[in-house]
Amino acid sequence: MNWIMLIIAGLFEVAFAFCLAKAKETTGTDMYLWYGGFLICSTISFLLLIKAVQTLPIGTAYAVWTGIGAVGTVLLGILVFKDPANFWRVFFIITLIGSIVGLKYVAH
């Protein structure tokens, strides 16, 4: 169950990065709504991370959390914000995913 909470926390990390990117693109009330979404998503993400590290090793949990956030944010950038998707970028994303999966399997 704690691994599921950790994965959801990582997805909320992606969501708060998305909100920051959208806030940068907007002005006025829309910008403040996106910043509000950022605050909500970051709060949920941190609370779930706190809950997950009560039973998971902190080093593994933090690495998995940031890895999910990093991979998700890069993929979101490529798919939604039209960031470049060259060979090396995709290669290192795949390497990072392999590292996240490996950490999960070697954690006690």
Side-chain angles (χ1 to χ4, degrees), residues 4-58:
I4 294 169
M5 279 192 291
L6 185 61
I7 291 167
I8 294 169
L11 295 175
F12 271 100
E13 186 182 1
V14 175
F16 77 66
F18 177 76
C19 289
L20 282 178
K22 292 300 283 185
K24 187 176 80 170
E25 294 179 347
T26 58
T27 58
T29 304
D30 286 344
M31 179 185 67
Y32 292 112
L33 290 172
W34 284 112
Y35 282 132
F38 162 77
L39 290 173
I40 292 167
C41 290
S42 59
T43 300
I44 293 169
S45 181
F46 283 112
L47 289 173
L48 288 171
L49 176 63
I50 289 167
K51 184 68 176 160
V53 298
Q54 290 176 352
T55 58
L56 299 174
I58 184 68

Side-chain angles (χ1 to χ4, degrees), residues 41-99:
C41 290
S42 59
T43 300
I44 293 169
S45 181
F46 283 112
L47 289 173
L48 288 171
L49 176 63
I50 289 167
K51 184 68 176 160
V53 298
Q54 290 176 352
T55 58
L56 299 174
I58 184 68
T60 301
Y62 185 74
V64 170
W65 178 72
T66 57
I68 291 169
V71 169
T73 303
V74 169
L75 292 176
L76 192 67
I78 291 169
L79 298 172
V80 176
F81 297 106
K82 307 301 181 215
D83 289 349
N86 60 37
F87 171 79
W88 288 112
R89 197 165 192 185
V90 173
F91 172 78
F92 287 117
I93 291 169
I94 292 168
T95 305
L96 185 54
I97 292 168
S99 298

